[in-house]
Amino acid sequence: MLIKFRKKSDIKESALTSESFYNNRRTVIKGLGLAALGLPFANQAKAGLFDLLSDKKDDSDRAASQFKRSLLTYSKNSSYQSLTPLTPEKKILQYNNFYEFGTGKADPFASSQQFKVDPWSLTIDGLVDKPITLHYEDLLKRFDIEERLYRMRCVEAWSMNIPWLGFTLASLIKSVSPKSSAKYVRFETLYDPKQMPGQASRRIGGGIDYPYVEGLRLDEAMNPLVMLSVGLYGKTLAPQNGAPIRLVVPWKYGFKGIKSIVRITLTDKAPLNTWQQIASNEYGFLANVNPDVDHPRWSQASERFIGEGNLFSQSRKATLPFNGYQEEVAELYKGIDLRRYF
Ligand SMILES: Nc1nc2c(c(=O)[nH]1)N[C@H]1C(S)=C(S)[C@@H](COP(=O)(O)O)O[C@H]1N2
Ligand SMILES: [Mo]
């Protein structure tokens, strides 16, 4: 994906490039290289790739060194249970974008298994009457956790169906009593270069200025589809998926789903989100899934669905307006030119 990052002009050329054979080949080479050196995560990096190519079964060595996920108690939200087929758990865990842990799809799994999520503090502040800081236990206990099956569509034109566990962002925002001047919500990922190799090195982290930032309009944030997720497939999140808490906005491109959040700030100005900052001609603020507006370097009309089967047997399907959530959200964008505000 991103190889060398020196100047801003390089970033525009190669940032968030469609995952490609080039990228996969590079991962193979890297995986084998690590194995040859006998580095601790060599097997993980290599296994992650082999799994994608061959659907190989888990090996217990690797399982033992993995981050431990706990079972969660939750209810199934009956309005969002019918999505099929689900993406296999293993692929959700091993094919990721989380540049703080490296830009390759297998990097986040390979280099995040020692990530510390407890203790954790999430602060909600800004234009609110009752700012609060939630600790790790509060994230899992303060709100009733429900399961919803959602489509996820990455801007790179691949997609997954994921059984998320979490609660609505609206319930959290209501609990802090927003002031009438609040118009936007700004989200920020943990900044901890000691734990996140991509923050310590611009090469590893794809040339991004960290911390990763995202944003929503307040009315978007209050839409009942928007979740703060604390888990998937019945268990707490793994680091590579954004443990302990990440955003899920199913009608927007995946990069809006900011991971490992430490701060949520209500503001009166639109936050400059990370990918817009890197290449505003390619990635906007709204970032609604839209098959009619192509990325400058590739079509957004269809997507590769990651399901059972390997890289070579996965098929393409048509991309849906608002990723299939048109009925719930089209109203939010009435009168807005979605070609201009992409
Ligand atoms: N902090 C942070 N959040 C992030 C990213 C990232 O690099 N850093 N990548 C985004 C992108 S591009 C996508 S597609 C999704 C991927 O989520 P997943 O790996 O859990 O499927 O996370 C998003 N959230
Ligand atoms: Mo993405």
Side-chain angles (χ1 to χ4, degrees), residues 45-305:
K46 192 156 57 89
L49 180 82
F50 280 156
D51 288 346
L52 266 179
L53 294 174
S54 70
D55 279 339
K56 185 171 79 65
K57 294 274 177 295
D58 261 323
D59 68 76
S60 51
D61 274 7
R62 186 157 50 90
S65 61
Q66 276 182 40
F67 179 90
K68 183 150 174 6
R69 296 165 61 207
S70 315
L71 289 173
L72 284 170
T73 306
Y74 62 92
S75 60
K76 289 175 183 281
N77 183 319
S78 56
S79 306
Y80 303 101
Q81 291 296 321
S82 56
L83 194 62
T84 57
L86 290 181
T87 298
E89 182 172 15
K90 206 157 101 178
K91 295 190 178 171
I92 300 173
L93 294 173
Q94 298 188 23
Y95 188 86
N96 300 97
N97 275 332
F98 198 168
Y99 280 23
E100 285 86 338
F101 292 103
T103 56
K105 291 288 182 282
D107 292 345
F109 173 73
S111 57
S112 71
Q113 299 307 295
Q114 309 304 315
F115 187 61
K116 290 209 169 23
V117 297
D118 185 8
W120 192 269
S121 307
L122 166 61
T123 297
I124 299 96
D125 63 3
L127 300 172
V128 301
D129 287 332
K130 299 190 271 177
I132 42 166
T133 294
L134 302 175
H135 298 288
Y136 181 73
E137 316 77 60
D138 305 326
L139 301 177
L140 306 181
K141 285 202 194 115
R142 191 178 163 104
F143 300 93
D144 288 335
I145 294 172
E146 58 177 29
E147 182 189 63
R148 299 186 188 194
L149 283 38
Y150 278 166
R151 285 179 279 275
M152 183 180 79
R153 169 55 157 88
C154 176
V155 76
E156 299 163 325
W158 52 266
S159 67
M160 296 185 178
N161 289 339
I162 302 180
W164 296 110
L165 300 172
F167 49 87
T168 61
L169 176 61
S171 61
L172 175 62
I173 291 180
K174 278 184 204 138
S175 75
V176 297
S177 306
K179 294 184 190 294
S180 58
S181 52
K183 298 285 181 276
Y184 294 91
V185 186
R186 180 185 186 277
F187 304 84
E188 198 176 294
T189 293
L190 178 71
Y191 183 74
D192 186 354
K194 287 209 173 75
Q195 290 205 80
M196 294 170 148
Q199 292 181 338
S201 150
R202 287 183 72 77
R203 183 185 55 81
I204 296 172
I208 287 177
D209 288 323
Y210 293 102
Y212 195 99
V213 169
E214 258 306 335
L216 295 170
R217 291 183 346 212
L218 183 57
D219 62 334
E220 296 180 310
M222 298 304 284
N223 185 282
L225 280 178
V226 182
M227 289 177 88
L228 282 171
S229 172
V230 294
L232 57 82
Y233 267 113
K235 295 180 186 166
T236 52
L237 290 175
Q240 61 270 28
N241 295 110
I245 188 162
R246 61 91 57 83
L247 185 67
V248 175
V249 192
W251 74 92
K252 293 180 181 284
Y253 288 119
F255 68 82
K256 297 297 286 186
I258 182 172
K259 296 176 168 181
S260 304
I261 303 169
V262 291
R263 187 173 288 270
I264 299 178
T265 308
L266 279 75
T267 70
D268 54 3
K269 286 181 200 65
L272 181 63
N273 52 311
T274 289
W275 282 103
Q276 199 186 358
Q277 186 189 336
I278 291 171
S280 60
N281 58 324
E282 302 186 0
Y283 313 105
F285 176 76
L286 288 181
N288 294 321
V289 174
N290 190 341
D292 299 330
V293 177
D294 289 339
H295 186 279
R297 291 180 280 131
W298 60 85
S299 165
Q300 294 293 27
S302 69
E303 63 206 49
R304 177 172 59 87
F305 178 71

